[in-house]
Amino acid sequence: MNAPRKFVFGPFTLIPERQSLLRGDSPVRIGGRALDLLTALVERPGEILTKAELMARVWPSTFVDEANLKVNMLTLRRTLGDGRDAPGYIATVTGRGYRFIASVETIESPDFTLATPLAVKRSHNLPVTTTRIFGRSAAIDAIQCDLDECRLVSVVGAGGIGKTTVALAVAESLVPGYPDGVWLVDFALLRDPELAANAIAMAIGLAVHSADALATLCEHLRDREMLLVLDSCEHIIEAAAHCTDLILAGAAGVKILVTSREPLRVKGERVRLLPGLGTPTPSAQPTADEALTYPAIQLFVERATESFEQFELTDADAPTAAELCRRLDGLALAIELAAARINPFGVRGLLGQIDDRFRLLVGRRAGPARHRTLMETLDWSYSLLTEREAALLRAASVFAGAFSLDDASAISNMAPREAADALAELTAKSLLATDHHADGTAYRLLETMRAYSLERLRASSEFAAVRHRHAEHVLKVLERASNEWMQRPAGEWGTTYGRLIDDLRGALVWAGDTANRPLRIRLTVAGLLLWNHLSLTEECRIHVSQAVGELDSAGLAGTSFEMQLKVWLGGATMFTKGLLPSAVEAMRRALEIAVEIGDFDCHVRCLRLIGVFQLFNGENDVAVRTLEEFASIAAAEIPSAMLEAEVALGIGELFIGRLQDVRERFERRHKLDLREINDSQRLRHHVRYLSDRIVDVTNLLSHAQWLTGSPDTALNTARATVDYALTTRHHLSLGNALSWVCPVFYWTGRHEECARYVAMLDDQANRHGFDVRRPVAMFYRAALEAAQEGASADEIERVERAIDEFHTTGHLARMPYYLGVLAELQARHGRLEAAGITIGAALDRAGAKNDRWCAPELLRVRAAILSAEGRTDDAQAALLASMELARETGALSWRLRAASDLARLWRDASRPQDARNMLLTVFSEFAEGADTRDVQIAESLIVSLARPGDEGCLEFFGSGTLVHAS
């Protein structure tokens, strides 16, 4: 026999013959494979050992993947304290192998003996820990405290979630506290429940020859102080519970720590449910540093690095890694198996492969059989179910998210009581997560178990029947939701039914695949309110378009189904793709059917949408007549729609110049308090016609307030509108709010704020497919750039492109105003002929479409062009006409702009006193707006026109109120 050898390097001593590594006098816990690698390296210090040599040495008769070598090498380096970038012991020789670089002293002596703790009586049989634990410190501490207070603690959770890892960490920390040791009993390989007591006895070193092994075991344990760790009890749960109960009753010094997928249900048991590892929220877009604060990401990165040394989490990949770990439910096993495949797929590739997770997540060749692949882990859980439990699990897998007892009963074709019992058992076995809320208990399969169970369902004969029951059930629930929509607050309704969106999507796909056209059409109609509530306008448009195309073949043309589909198709198309002829044609067809069948709710809905289409198309007078009809029918038949009727009509009245009347009517009749609009729960069905009605009201008010000379009030209303729209999380309403507030901030000279809202609008339009809103963002972005000091003539072309885009989408509302802005820019850059043509076209269109709201401003721009051409008399006449029209319509803000331009004209004509008196008369009508652009320009001009002794006639106070002295 060879003499024992001892290798000394740094603070370490390696004794291969004893399979021992010491740091000083203390043993280092290290796995056998890692110890074999270390021995091979220190035997030949300084030499390069190829990967093939090392693998042949450590796995002499087994074929293994090179990843095993990398993992064990990383474990060895971590044990020795080697840094990744500055190794102290083992260096990687790229493309060749590894080399031990530290100095090694070799000692051989036949007399060598080792006085080490190896001679000490064993105090446990816990396996060597070779990996770090992430995100479980709180759970470990809590379980330690539990064992101080009670004698039985069960760590419960889904398969692969990390129960054994946590239990072993707890047990290892408690070894010194138990004189008779801490003993692990691994039940995973035990198939006969009758041998549970024998397995415990074997683990603690007790030879049992009696026929009653449990009685012998209890007698042996009677006076001992010991911790038993019963691991993986779920498949012999009754036997484990029986043994535990008797041991605790007969041995007061024994405590038991259990891991199982369900509790033992023994008296005195304290249950700790182990959740998945923490991940960033679904809406988060973390950087790499932020992502690495979450345990699931930490585990993923460590295991990925073990598998592929060059891996490094980047900021670009961090959100994808977060989504991957979320999709794997934070299951430690699933994350580890996925990370092991990082080299062939990369982070993005792994996420793309995740739906085929059972093929993807394979790789362990060691460890318990149930942990070698994800499929085996889930097979293990599934095999422990009764047929009733398995049937319900398969059926419930068609639900995309949470589901209720009624849902489960309907989908599984079980009686409610039977389904309730099965759900309770599945929850106890950690196969379902639960959430308790006002509507009752919601159940949810972990994503991984859902995918597994769905595969089981597909392989069964019941797949088609379950999918059909699911589609019919979703239809029934959505029809109930439609009936409740008018009676429940919007937030409450959304909380109850918003979860159905993914189930609706799945049901529509299945119905489409089976060519069940009538069911698909009914599902689409039933989902209309849900899509609208969730502001999924483009998704709604796509499904409705498909359903409309199947009406004839399904035999549903001319029915209420066609009516509902056509009205929503028209509205969704208008707000996404633009003012297309097909949109208004769909609305008019829906109106025909509504009149034929006497459906007044759809009748007024059609009239409102047609009226809005006409407003968007710039047909103001026609729109007002349509909306007056809408209001008349609503007042008689659908009183709950009157607010929407008045708002839509108010927009038309605003455009035709009834500004003061619009403002006074809405502020007086609705008494809109901006503090109240934050409480959406006080309002029912506030998104009745695609857009939130509060947003529509305040949009209208902000414009009326600015036009009628209240710029500060308008700004406050605009800001409050956006704040409120953000809280609704209704994207179409937010897009509407942003498209209306941008002009308010532009008119008042708040360019930085305007730019911020323009960027938000552009993002909303691009993200949610609101093509009709994109030109608004384009226009105001270009206008803001053109307004900058030293802006180039190129900005004119950008404004022109935005106007072209308005024409492309058919969005011609406010077109005369847009042309007026373009004309003013053209004149500013000396393009007077083009400016004259543009403003002429703007005034012609305003006259033809009755756009009186902006006509005073257009006349002012024409006057500026005339003045630049030297036609001062014509310019003066245009400005006087502008001021008179502004007076008629109540457009005080436009009147102030025209008055400022006229004052300059008169000043240059040596009429300073007339100029000052005229401007001061208009200026004095303002009670606010001291720091807004037009008011400041007018004030500066008035001061410059003052005669000696007049300087004190105008004062501004800090509150922003304007005070005028005669």
Side-chain angles (χ1 to χ4, degrees):
M1 180 177 177
N2 294 333
R5 299 169 301 165
K6 162 164 94 166
F7 299 96
V8 180
F9 50 94
F12 296 101
T13 301
L14 171 65
I15 305 141
E17 285 75 12
R18 303 286 177 85
Q19 286 286 289
S20 173
L21 177 67
L22 304 175
R23 184 184 181 97
D25 293 329
S26 302
V28 177
R29 302 184 68 183
I30 183 172
R33 303 294 191 191
L35 198 66
D36 290 343
L37 285 174
L38 179 59
T39 302
L41 289 165
V42 298
E43 285 178 342
R44 296 163 59 185
E47 295 184 37
I48 297 174
L49 275 72
T50 66
K51 295 176 182 179
E53 286 180 275
L54 289 170
M55 292 170 71
R57 170 74 176 265
V58 178
W59 294 276
S61 58
T62 306
F63 172 78
V64 296
D65 191 273
E66 189 179 303
N68 287 271
L69 175 63
K70 292 180 179 179
V71 170
N72 281 278
M73 189 63 73
L74 192 65
T75 299
L76 174 56
R77 283 172 156 166
R78 188 163 53 231
T79 300
L80 298 177
D82 253 7
R84 181 176 176 181
D85 299 322
Y89 296 99
I90 301 170
T92 301
V93 183
T94 304
R96 299 180 65 188
Y98 301 90
R99 181 163 58 92
F100 198 83
I101 58 176
S103 174
V104 178
E105 179 184 2
T106 305
I107 302 172
E108 295 188 20
S109 171
D111 301 323
F112 170 66
T113 58
L114 180 64
T116 72
L118 294 174
V120 177
K121 175 187 174 183
R122 285 201 316 154
S123 60
H124 67 83
N125 66 338
L126 304 176
V128 174
T129 302
T130 60
T131 59
R132 284 193 294 168
I133 300 175
F134 296 98
R136 298 304 192 193
S137 57
I140 292 168
D141 291 344
I143 295 167
Q144 289 171 341
C145 293
D146 289 341
L147 285 168
D148 285 341
E149 298 170 1
C150 61
R151 296 176 58 209
L152 172 61
V153 178
S154 292
V155 182
V156 174
I161 208 160
K163 301 182 295 295
T164 300
T165 299
V166 168
L168 290 177
V170 171
E172 184 176 359
S173 69
L174 297 178
V175 168
Y178 291 90
D180 294 302
V182 174
W183 305 99
L184 171 66
V185 185
D186 186 358
F187 284 142
L189 301 179
L190 186 65
R191 290 293 174 264
D192 186 354
E194 298 295 327
L195 298 179
N198 299 74
I200 298 172
M202 183 179 296
I204 66 174
L206 173 65
V208 177
H209 304 289
S210 167
D212 191 348
L214 182 55
T216 303
L217 175 63
C218 290
E219 179 63 27
H220 176 78
L221 296 175
R222 182 182 304 277
D223 298 319
R224 281 172 170 73
E225 294 182 49
M226 182 184 294
L227 174 65
L228 296 177
V229 182
L230 308 185
D231 188 37
S232 302
C233 297
E234 53 272 352
H235 62 303
I236 56 165
I237 195 73
E238 293 182 4
H242 180 60
C243 290
T244 297
D245 196 24
L246 291 185
I247 289 171
L248 292 176
V254 174
K255 294 187 177 184
I256 298 178
L257 178 60
V258 170
T259 76
S260 177
R261 296 178 194 181
E262 60 179 307
L264 296 186
R265 299 175 184 173
V266 170
K267 183 179 179 181
E269 179 183 28
R270 181 171 294 184
V271 178
R272 282 282 172 184
L273 177 63
L274 199 64
L277 294 172
T279 62
T281 61
S283 60
Q285 292 292 308
T287 64
D289 287 343
E290 291 167 344
L292 283 168
T293 63
Y294 293 89
I297 312 295
Q298 294 167 359
L299 176 63
F300 174 79
V301 170
E302 173 136 326
R303 296 298 178 267
T305 306
E306 290 174 356
S307 177
F308 182 54
E309 291 182 24
Q310 285 72 41
F311 174 74
E312 184 175 349
L313 185 67
T314 65
D315 287 345
D317 282 339
T320 307
E323 176 66 13
L324 174 69
C325 292
R326 263 195 313 273
R327 295 279 300 277
L328 294 174
D329 302 304
L331 288 174
L333 173 62
I335 291 169
E336 289 182 331
L337 293 174
R341 306 302 299 277
I342 192 68
N343 192 14
F345 291 110
V347 179
R348 296 179 189 276
L350 282 176
L351 183 59
Q353 293 282 325
I354 200 62
D355 287 330
D356 194 10
R357 65 195 70 199
F358 305 120
R359 180 178 60 80
L360 171 69
L361 303 181
V362 298
R364 289 192 177 184
R365 291 182 171 85
R370 68 187 190 280
H371 281 178
R372 287 177 191 161
T373 70
L374 190 60
M375 180 67 87
E376 288 170 322
T377 300
L378 298 172
D379 282 341
W380 171 267
S381 296
Y382 189 81
S383 68
L384 303 178
L385 301 178
T386 66
E387 178 49 40
R388 181 183 67 178
E389 293 164 359
L392 182 55
L393 194 68
R394 291 192 302 270
S397 68
V398 300
F399 288 114
F403 57 92
S404 66
L405 169 59
D406 289 343
D407 297 332
S409 175
I411 209 72
S412 63
N413 211 22
M414 292 182 186
R417 182 183 296 276
E418 186 182 8
D421 290 343
L423 288 172
E425 290 301 321
L426 291 170
T427 302
K429 291 177 168 65
S430 302
L431 297 177
L432 290 177
T434 59
D435 180 30
H436 302 283
H437 50 72
D439 288 337
T441 300
Y443 301 88
R444 181 178 64 84
L445 273 75
L446 295 180
E447 182 66 19
T448 303
M449 178 53 76
R450 190 183 83 84
Y452 172 87
S453 302
L454 192 57
E455 287 301 313
R456 285 278 188 170
L457 179 65
R458 286 196 181 100
S460 72
S461 61
E462 58 196 359
F463 177 72
V466 170
R467 291 297 323 201
H468 190 269
R469 287 199 296 268
H470 173 259
E472 290 285 359
H473 180 67
V474 170
L475 174 62
K476 177 182 175 182
V477 175
L478 285 174
E479 288 176 340
R480 182 176 72 228
S482 297
N483 293 332
E484 293 181 6
W485 183 73
M486 292 290 288
Q487 285 74 47
R488 299 179 71 175
E492 179 184 303
W493 187 92
T495 299
T496 300
Y497 295 110
R499 64 178 177 82
L500 283 172
I501 186 61
D502 288 324
D503 286 301
L504 171 61
R505 290 164 175 161
L508 283 167
V509 169
W510 179 81
D513 289 345
T514 58
N516 193 332
R517 293 184 178 90
L519 179 57
R520 180 183 173 122
I521 289 170
R522 291 167 61 207
L523 278 165
T524 303
V525 171
L528 292 172
L529 286 174
L530 183 60
W531 278 312
N532 185 38
H533 180 87
L534 298 174
S535 193
L536 298 171
T537 312
E538 176 63 5
E539 180 179 332
C540 175
R541 187 192 66 78
I542 292 170
H543 283 292
V544 169
S545 296
Q546 293 169 345
V548 164
E550 297 175 345
L551 283 166
D552 288 335
S553 59
L556 294 174
T559 66
S560 64
F561 291 108
E562 181 184 3
M563 175 189 71
Q564 293 179 77
L565 290 171
K566 288 288 179 68
V567 69
W568 284 87
L569 176 61
T573 300
M574 176 172 64
F575 281 101
T576 56
K577 298 304 178 185
L579 285 294
L580 304 180
S582 61
V584 75
E585 288 169 8
M587 298 175 203
R588 293 195 184 281
R589 173 57 181 157
L591 180 60
E592 288 177 8
I593 299 174
V595 172
E596 287 175 7
I597 67 177
D599 189 322
F600 286 107
D601 184 77
C602 193
H603 188 163
V604 296
R605 184 183 296 274
C606 291
L607 288 173
R608 181 188 184 277
L609 287 173
I610 292 170
V612 170
F613 183 99
Q614 292 163 342
L615 286 174
F616 276 13
N617 201 36
E619 302 290 341
N620 296 326
D621 290 332
V622 175
V624 167
R625 289 195 294 272
T626 301
L627 294 170
E628 285 174 340
E629 182 183 358
F630 165 36
S632 174
I633 297 175
E637 305 292 346
I638 313 289
S640 61
M642 274 307 298
L643 178 58
E644 284 85 353
E646 292 180 12
V647 172
L649 183 57
I651 295 171
E653 291 177 323
L654 180 88
F655 285 166
I656 65 175
R658 301 173 188 172
L659 307 181
Q660 196 63 43
D661 180 59
V662 168
R663 177 177 178 178
E664 290 176 359
R665 189 165 78 251
F666 280 93
E667 289 185 336
R668 181 180 69 251
R669 291 187 60 185
H670 299 290
K671 297 179 181 178
L672 185 65
D673 184 345
L674 294 179
R675 292 170 299 180
E676 185 177 319
I677 72 171
N678 293 317
D679 185 8
S680 61
Q681 286 298 324
R682 295 182 62 179
L683 292 159
R684 301 179 189 272
H685 52 274
H686 61 276
V687 186
R688 182 176 188 137
Y689 298 125
L690 292 175
S691 180
D692 185 287
R693 66 186 191 181
I694 297 176
V695 169
D696 291 342
V697 168
T698 51
N699 280 339
L700 178 59
L701 270 178
S702 66
H703 279 224
Q705 287 163 345
W706 187 86
L707 289 166
T708 55
S710 299
D712 287 341
T713 302
L715 286 170
N716 290 335
T717 301
R719 293 185 185 111
T721 301
V722 175
D723 289 345
Y724 168 75
L726 286 166
T727 67
T728 68
R729 298 182 181 178
H730 192 257
H731 304 301
L732 182 58
S733 298
L734 178 58
N736 289 348
L738 292 166
S739 67
W740 278 75
V741 304
C742 287
V744 175
F745 290 98
Y746 180 72
W747 294 334
T748 52
R750 296 290 195 275
H751 287 180
E752 287 188 8
E753 277 188 275
C754 185
R756 185 165 70 249
Y757 291 124
V758 166
M760 290 173 63
L761 176 60
D762 194 43
D763 178 67
Q764 284 287 310
N766 290 324
R767 187 181 301 179
H768 301 292
F770 300 148
D771 292 352
V772 77
R773 296 301 184 194
R774 192 173 290 113
V776 180
M778 290 175 61
F779 177 84
Y780 283 103
R781 179 179 291 111
L784 287 170
E785 291 171 352
Q788 298 300 313
E789 193 83 25
S792 70
D794 292 342
E795 309 307 332
I796 295 176
E797 295 179 4
R798 297 187 184 183
V799 173
E800 289 173 338
R801 284 199 296 272
I803 290 174
D804 289 342
E805 190 68 18
F806 279 120
H807 284 284
T808 299
T809 61
H811 190 185
L812 304 180
R814 305 186 185 88
M815 181 53 65
Y817 169 73
Y818 298 139
L819 290 171
V821 172
L822 174 60
E824 190 167 30
L825 289 172
Q826 290 169 330
R828 187 185 306 164
H829 287 276
R831 301 180 184 178
L832 296 181
E833 183 177 357
I837 294 171
T838 302
I839 198 61
L843 283 164
D844 289 345
R845 183 172 183 86
K849 303 300 182 182
N850 201 16
D851 259 315
R852 285 166 58 86
W853 75 276
C854 65
E857 174 69 351
L858 301 180
L859 288 168
R860 185 194 68 81
V861 173
R862 167 175 270 181
I865 297 168
L866 292 169
S867 179
E869 292 173 339
R871 299 166 58 185
T872 54
D873 289 345
D874 292 339
Q876 175 178 283
L879 288 170
L880 289 170
S882 171
M883 292 176 65
E884 181 57 30
L885 182 55
R887 188 193 310 277
E888 290 177 14
T889 59
L892 180 58
S893 290
W894 294 145
R895 187 152 64 96
L896 181 64
R897 286 191 180 185
S900 294
D901 284 5
L902 184 60
R904 293 191 194 93
L905 207 62
W906 285 356
R907 177 196 61 194
D908 295 343
S910 301
R911 297 176 57 187
Q913 190 59 36
D914 291 340
R916 184 176 184 278
N917 291 339
M918 179 273 302
L919 182 55
L920 187 57
T921 299
V922 179
F923 184 81
S924 299
E925 295 186 37
F926 280 80
E928 60 180 64
D931 60 348
T932 57
R933 180 181 59 192
D934 293 334
V935 173
Q936 288 181 334
I937 289 172
E939 179 223 351
S940 177
L941 189 54
I942 290 169
V943 170
S944 72
L945 293 169
R947 294 174 301 182
D950 286 342
E951 290 83 355
C953 71
L954 186 64
E955 297 180 9
F956 290 87
F957 287 82
S959 64
T961 302
L962 307 183
V963 177
H964 317 284
S966 60

